[in-house]
Amino acid sequence: IMNKLYVGNLSPSVTVEDLKELFEKRKLPVAEQVFLKSGYAFVDFSDQNSAIQVLDALDGKCETVHGQVIVIDYSVPKNLRSRKIQIRNIPPHLQWEVLDGLLAQYGTVENVEQVNTDTETAVVNVTYSTKEEAKEAIEKLSEHQFEDYCFKVSYIMDLDAAPAAQTPRSRRGGRSSRDQGTPQPGPSGCYGGLRSRPQDFPLRMLVPTQFVGAIIGKEGLTIKNVTKQTQSKVDIHRKENAGAAEKPISIHSTPEGCSAACRMILEIMHKEANETKTTEDIPLKILAHNCLVGRLIGKEGRNLKKIEEDTGTRITISSFLDITICNQERTIVVKGSLDNCCRAEKEVTKKLREYFTNCSLFDQQAPEQEVVYLFIPTQAVGALIGKKGQHIKQLAHIAAASIKIAPAEGPDMPTRKVIITGTAEAQFKAQGQIYRKLKEDNFFSPKEEVKLETHIKVPSSAAGRVIGKGGKTVTELQNLTSAEVIVPRDQTPDENDEVFVKISGHFFASQVCANTIHHYGKYPEAKMSKLKTNVSVYQ
């Protein structure tokens, strides 16, 4: 259904051979059939992946045939342009929750399904509840700029829109196809933003940009050799973070295949460094989702220390404060000889796989629920709720949290209380989306950082520990995070023997404070020195 393209704005003198030559010059898939008319053509490919490669290469690239700028899109009959659209050229590192939030701005999304392609950017098919919503999304998302990426949006076949006699209308409701069958990895090859578990656990590496050419090799022969020998699928995200000193690589294979591919890539980099007389050390850098890193470190760093001792390496991990809403991966840096780094990679990824498989965040035990009170500007309430409450519903769905806006406490109150109930992960997602919404809708000036007040509850017995002797602990916490932390004195504990702690600051400062304070509530022996290096939103 999705392998036929429409090519328009052709000169009457264009021939079938001209079109085939255009595809051949760009090393694009060969068209199986070309139906040429006066001024336009229909081009059939063997599969959807081939059609997407052609769209990715030519759409909006001003390719000319006989002096004409061609127009290219899917060939979709007008009566089947209804509720379904396809979005291409999505940044490979864009998390699902960010994309879901963007899509929800234009209506109720019934289904989002990732398309497996050979392109470096991600492609998704989206089904809206009405054709009007799909039309608005097409208009608003076309040419939507996200960082250095410009979305490409097209209608795709909506068989539900066909007359009943031709195609039975599929039954609405129930679970979407995103939650059925074999789940797929997210746009970055990482699992962080997905609601269901992916088929494999990719090994993600960071490599210096200067070595990317050597890893790919002339005409791609080197990387083809790596994939062939290790039976792996290796994606080098060259377009990610233009100008960055390092580029991510995703390796999909068995654990043995991932490790073999990792070794070969390290060997290529070491060889290139020797030939170019590069004097800098080349450590192994592994990317891992933040929710797994705390477990990898272990209590008092024991897990990491054991791997270091067993493999003769030195391992450090990037700060929690370096992650963003769009990218929740942290970098595990392994230093040592090539052989020892490879031994450490096996141990590190073995642990990460185990934690990922057994992690209660994903699907096993029911994690502890937290209640957080977030105060937003009163004038932002309508934007957060959205038309007919659709935005706040979609946000709650994305974060898997309960989000309610409390009634106004008075006619002239500058803020309104938002009550968020959910796991630590759900809190992180929900609050992050709210901060982003306020920034995007200009409730804060472009140069002004979004700072909100948050209230959390802690056991009354923990309040003194949070303050510390002479206020030392709370002062150190404020210095560490740049947030303001107030533990009101002389509070009367509620029926659960809990009291409020007030936090004011930007998103990550508030998150670090809240989770550090929760940590103090659970672990009386906790010390600030340990929390400085081992604070994690999901612990």
Side-chain angles (χ1 to χ4, degrees):
I1 295 175
M2 299 306 302
N3 58 351
K4 178 179 285 190
L5 299 180
Y6 165 83
V7 182
N9 202 33
L10 299 178
S11 166
S13 58
V14 168
T15 65
V16 170
E17 287 67 32
D18 290 331
L19 288 174
K20 289 185 175 179
E21 184 181 348
L22 172 64
F23 297 147
E24 187 176 343
K25 277 184 179 178
R26 297 296 300 267
K27 297 182 180 179
L28 296 171
V30 178
E32 288 196 335
Q33 289 183 304
V34 178
F35 302 94
L36 185 62
K37 305 287 185 180
S38 179
Y40 64 95
F42 295 105
V43 185
D44 286 0
F45 293 93
S46 58
D47 53 43
Q48 181 182 192
N49 196 1
S50 298
I52 289 174
Q53 286 184 59
V54 173
L55 280 168
D56 187 60
L58 302 183
D59 184 25
K61 303 294 171 60
C62 296
E63 293 294 329
T64 61
V65 180
H66 290 196
Q68 299 289 107
V69 179
I70 65 173
V71 175
I72 187 165
D73 207 340
Y74 283 115
S75 173
V76 182
K78 285 188 177 180
N79 65 323
L80 295 183
R81 297 179 186 178
S82 182
R83 303 182 303 126
K84 296 188 178 182
I85 64 175
Q86 183 177 93
I87 307 173
R88 303 181 302 282
N89 205 40
I90 300 171
H93 55 284
L94 184 64
Q95 290 287 343
W96 274 119
E97 56 264 26
V98 178
L99 179 61
D100 280 343
L102 181 63
L103 298 177
Q105 294 179 19
Y106 309 109
T108 303
V109 177
E110 289 193 352
N111 185 35
V112 180
E113 180 180 22
Q114 187 180 0
V115 181
N116 288 327
T117 70
D118 294 330
T119 58
E120 290 187 0
T121 51
V123 178
V124 296
N125 292 341
V126 183
T127 304
Y128 280 94
S129 62
T130 68
K131 62 182 181 182
E132 290 76 20
E133 292 171 345
K135 182 181 178 183
E136 184 180 5
I138 285 266
E139 293 170 352
K140 298 290 179 61
L141 289 174
S142 291
E143 306 302 320
H144 175 86
Q145 193 80 20
F146 191 95
E147 296 179 353
D148 295 327
Y149 296 82
C150 196
F151 289 175
K152 302 297 179 184
V153 192
S154 303
Y155 276 112
I156 57 176
M157 294 280 193
D158 182 4
L159 297 181
D160 283 356
Q166 297 177 21
T167 307
R169 190 176 183 85
S170 63
R171 190 163 64 93
R172 298 261 183 98
R175 294 167 62 194
S176 69
S177 62
R178 175 189 264 195
D179 299 319
Q180 297 175 2
T182 304
Q184 301 295 335
S188 67
C190 187
Y191 41 82
L194 287 175
R195 283 193 276 276
S196 55
R197 182 171 295 162
Q199 190 174 18
D200 68 344
F201 183 91
L203 169 60
R204 297 259 295 160
M205 299 173 61
L206 264 185
V207 301
T209 301
Q210 71 218 53
F211 295 133
V212 169
I215 295 169
I216 295 171
K218 189 176 181 180
E219 297 181 352
L221 291 178
T222 304
I223 197 64
K224 286 179 182 176
N225 183 48
V226 172
T227 59
K228 184 177 180 181
Q229 287 199 33
T230 64
Q231 296 184 325
S232 304
K233 181 178 183 292
V234 182
D235 296 324
I236 302 176
H237 305 290
R238 285 173 290 177
K239 295 181 182 178
E240 188 167 326
N241 298 333
E246 296 174 309
K247 299 293 183 184
I249 294 179
S250 299
I251 305 171
H252 300 261
S253 185
T254 61
E256 296 76 20
C258 287
S259 294
C262 175
R263 172 179 278 276
M264 291 187 72
I265 289 170
L266 285 175
E267 289 172 347
I268 292 166
M269 290 196 293
H270 276 264
K271 182 181 177 183
E272 180 71 9
N274 289 333
E275 292 178 355
T276 58
K277 294 182 171 55
T278 302
T279 56
E280 296 178 6
D281 291 335
I282 304 173
L284 167 63
K285 294 188 176 183
I286 300 171
L287 293 171
H289 194 282
N290 179 59
C291 65
L292 302 179
V293 168
R295 295 162 185 268
L296 173 67
I297 294 170
K299 189 175 182 180
E300 298 180 351
R302 290 172 189 166
N303 292 350
L304 219 52
K305 287 176 185 175
K306 186 174 190 311
I307 294 175
E308 287 179 320
E309 292 169 359
D310 291 346
T311 62
T313 57
R314 177 80 179 100
I315 303 175
T316 57
I317 297 177
S318 64
S319 169
F320 161 76
L321 298 174
D322 292 339
I323 70 173
T324 67
I325 297 171
C326 297
N327 181 14
Q328 296 176 28
E329 289 179 306
R330 291 167 70 182
T331 306
I332 302 164
V333 183
V334 184
K335 293 184 178 180
S337 68
L338 191 148
D339 285 342
N340 286 349
C341 283
C342 291
R343 290 171 60 202
E345 178 275 320
K346 291 180 181 178
E347 293 301 316
V348 168
T349 51
K350 179 183 176 183
K351 290 287 186 186
L352 292 174
R353 279 190 194 93
E354 287 175 0
Y355 300 141
F356 172 65
T357 302
N358 300 318
C359 186
S360 64
L361 281 176
F362 293 97
D363 62 11
Q364 294 192 8
Q365 301 173 9
E368 185 179 344
Q369 299 283 304
E370 299 173 3
V371 179
V372 172
Y373 302 92
L374 189 65
F375 292 81
I376 67 171
T378 299
Q379 65 267 32
V381 170
L384 182 60
I385 294 173
K387 188 178 180 180
K388 297 181 180 179
Q390 286 301 321
H391 184 266
I392 197 168
K393 288 178 184 176
Q394 187 73 17
L395 196 158
H397 178 68
I398 292 168
S402 167
I403 305 173
K404 297 179 180 178
I405 298 178
E409 296 180 3
D412 300 317
M413 294 296 290
T415 62
R416 285 280 291 277
K417 181 163 63 178
V418 180
I419 305 167
I420 307 171
T421 307
T423 63
E425 182 192 24
Q427 290 287 350
F428 184 85
K429 289 181 180 180
Q431 292 180 54
Q433 290 279 5
I434 292 172
Y435 273 77
R436 181 178 63 84
K437 178 69 173 173
L438 297 181
K439 185 68 172 179
E440 287 181 353
D441 285 11
N442 300 315
F443 290 105
F444 291 79
S445 65
K447 294 183 179 180
E448 185 183 5
E449 201 165 24
V450 178
K451 292 185 177 181
L452 302 177
E453 185 172 306
T454 305
H455 294 185
I456 62 173
K457 286 185 175 183
V458 299
S460 59
S461 58
R465 291 198 300 275
V466 172
I467 297 171
K469 188 175 181 180
K472 181 181 178 182
T473 302
V474 74
T475 301
E476 196 169 353
L477 181 59
Q478 291 181 129
N479 292 337
L480 177 65
T481 63
S482 300
E484 182 182 5
V485 181
I486 300 174
V487 186
R489 297 181 181 273
D490 303 323
Q491 287 189 71
T492 302
D494 63 13
E495 65 276 9
N496 297 317
D497 196 30
E498 293 181 323
V499 294
F500 277 112
V501 175
K502 299 179 181 180
I503 304 167
S504 180
H506 62 74
F507 175 64
F508 282 105
S510 295
Q511 289 293 310
V512 171
C513 281
N515 286 278
T516 303
I517 291 167
H518 279 306
H519 194 83
Y520 268 97
K522 293 178 184 177
Y523 306 105
E525 74 281 3
K527 289 183 170 56
M528 180 63 69
S529 58
K530 294 178 183 177
L531 292 168
K532 283 182 180 178
T533 56
N534 199 24
V535 167
S536 170
V537 146
Y538 295 106
Q539 284 184 305

